[in-house]
Amino acid sequence: MSKPGYHHGDLESALLQGAVNRVRLVGAEKVSLRAIAGDLGVSPSAAYHHFPDKDALLTAAGFAAIDKLADQQELALSMISVIGVDGALARFRALGRSYVDFALNEPHLFRLAFGGHCVIPDGTDSEAPTRAWTILTAALDELVNEGLLKFEFRQKSEILVWSAVHGVATLILEGKLPPEAADDLFDSLAQMLGLGNE
Amino acid sequence: MSKPGYHHGDLESALLQGAVNRVRLVGAEKVSLRAIAGDLGVSPSAAYHHFPDKDALLTAAGFAAIDKLADQQELALSMISVIGVDGALARFRALGRSYVDFALNEPHLFRLAFGGHCVIPDGTDSEAPTRAWTILTAALDELVNEGLLKFEFRQKSEILVWSAVHGVATLILEGKLPPEAADDLFDSLAQMLGLGNE
DNA sequence: AAAATATCTATACAGTGTAAAGATACCGAC
DNA sequence: GTCGGTATCTTTACACTGTATAGATATTTT
């Protein structure tokens, strides 16, 4: 299944990987299908047997980028073994930090992922809850369990937290906010979530 | 200064306007310099006497889009004449709503404005406080003056509010959150800002 | 082994951004 | 006014893009 001969074995995932690599380096709007194919020593037209067109390949790469973000978040979470209140808070913060870090370390992948290429069809809830969403809700659950977040605030907190973290990442990336804004935001979030308790 | 003859008078702003129009319709990555020039009945190369390259033109169009967003916000603000506490709250909400509305009504302009084309050089504070920023701080000032927001929370609220609103706009636009998420977010924000008082 | 199919290549075409050189209209100096 | 210089625009050309079509090659099926 890897490379059993002339037919290259698994061009589809090789193309995807190549697309991700190229986007990572130069950004989505400056990657050419021909370059990706060239990297793999393959004719430009070869891609059309696996993806309907260039845009579809980039979209697939975008979803791969979203997955990489989720990977990084889970990795960041896994490195915090503290339990209890402190653990819950640390994990919450690590989640935001890894999100922003991904945006700043991989700006091109981040923009590809959230820049119009990977729009969900907008139909009624497509019942595809995104790994990022799942990860976030788990962290908020923990905050609730530890008594750090009032249960009735949890639902709305999901939207607030994700929006704020995504927003600050984007705005820093675009130079609209300074990098320190991220930590300030995390402070505000922690503080405000906590305030619901007293 | 408008159209005094063959030299077209003011090609530069005509190109800019044309670029904005085209981006508005089909999105930045599908607009061609030649099409913009064609709309104006002008040769493709003509643009190069006014902009170093296509990217620069699109960047200018992006900043124009940012300005349109600010216009829309100020217009939304101007339509609320209520004074006092209710007015401050209404204006705060209208600010968020107009921001999200702009993103949803003009997705291509919004993406151009915040999708990497208009990055501030990232140098130390470039002392260019953006109209959006000014507008936001004014609204928060009013909240403080009306006693709806604790003074010590104001500074950090700037980042929180702008990030959250920008984030929710983006995530709705990309299909990651449903449209109703915006109102939920405004509820949370109003509630949480208010909580700092009791 | 032969036929059918999936995969890849070769070729070609219209469209792109943009560099270079030539034409045209304007503008200030005499 | 006329003349020369300059900004503006056109023409032409080139390298490059995505992708459609048709042909070659390897794999799979029968």
Side-chain angles (χ1 to χ4, degrees), chain B residues 6 32-34 45 48 53-54:
Chain B
Y6 168 83
S32 80
L33 199 58
R34 297 172 111 103
S45 313
Y48 287 84
D53 58 2
K54 179 192 178 185

Side-chain angles (χ1 to χ4, degrees), chain B residues 166-189:
Chain B
H166 184 86
V168 84
T170 306
L171 291 174
I172 294 174
L173 193 56
E174 303 303 324
K176 261 73 179 180
L177 284 176
E180 316 87 63
D183 285 306
D184 290 347
L185 177 81
F186 301 150
D187 290 342
S188 299
L189 281 179

Side-chain angles (χ1 to χ4, degrees), chain B residues 19-28 31 68 105-109:
Chain B
V20 170
N21 287 340
R22 283 251 169 208
V23 169
R24 217 178 83 89
L25 293 177
V26 300
V31 346
K68 285 186 92 163
N105 292 330
E106 303 290 0
H108 297 291
L109 291 183

Side-chain angles (χ1 to χ4, degrees), chain A residues 50-64:
Chain A
H50 302 275
F51 298 92
D53 58 2
K54 179 193 178 183
D55 219 62
L57 174 56
L58 285 183
T59 300
F63 280 110

Side-chain angles (χ1 to χ4, degrees), chain A:
Chain A
M1 185 166 288
S2 29
K3 275 192 179 187
Y6 167 82
H7 267 17
H8 188 281
D10 196 359
L11 220 190
E12 176 165 335
S13 56
L15 283 168
L16 211 161
Q17 176 72 17
V20 171
N21 287 340
R22 283 250 169 208
V23 170
R24 217 177 82 92
L25 293 177
V26 298
E29 52 271 288
K30 341 198 91 170
V31 345
S32 80
L33 200 57
R34 296 173 111 105
I36 300 174
D39 288 345
L40 301 173
V42 141
S43 140
S45 314
Y48 288 84
H49 295 264
H50 302 275
F51 298 92
D53 58 2
K54 179 193 178 183
D55 219 62
L57 174 56
L58 285 183
T59 300
F63 280 110
I66 294 180
D67 238 53
K68 284 186 94 162
L69 167 56
D71 286 344
Q72 200 148 313
Q73 292 200 94
E74 281 180 349
L75 190 140
L77 278 185
S78 75
M79 294 180 66
I80 301 176
S81 50
V82 189
I83 60 171
V85 175
D86 289 349
L89 270 176
R91 269 181 285 277
F92 177 71
R93 212 180 187 88
L95 223 52
R97 184 107 299 276
S98 64
Y99 198 102
V100 173
D101 283 348
F102 183 84
L104 300 185
N105 291 331
E106 303 289 1
H108 295 151
L109 290 184
F110 187 79
R111 291 208 186 94
L112 176 63
F114 297 103
H117 262 101
C118 302
V119 264
I120 305 293
D122 134 282
T124 59
D125 288 287
S126 66
E127 206 59 37
T130 317
R131 282 176 64 201
W133 188 260
T134 311
I135 295 174
L136 172 63
T137 56
L140 290 179
D141 278 343
E142 200 186 354
L143 285 180
V144 171
N145 288 341
E146 295 296 337
L148 287 169
L149 173 63
K150 257 191 179 168
F151 178 75
E152 68 224 61
F153 285 175
R154 216 217 64 159
Q155 175 105 355
K156 286 189 172 178
S157 296
E158 293 182 1
I159 294 174
L160 172 65
V161 169
W162 194 12
S163 295
V165 172
H166 183 86
V168 84
T170 307
L171 292 174
I172 294 174
L173 193 56
E174 304 303 324
K176 262 72 181 181
L177 285 177
E180 316 88 62
D183 284 308
D184 290 348
L185 177 83
F186 301 151
D187 290 342
S188 298
L189 280 179
Q191 192 172 357
M192 294 208 147
L193 291 178
L195 276 174
N197 272 337
E198 296 149 20

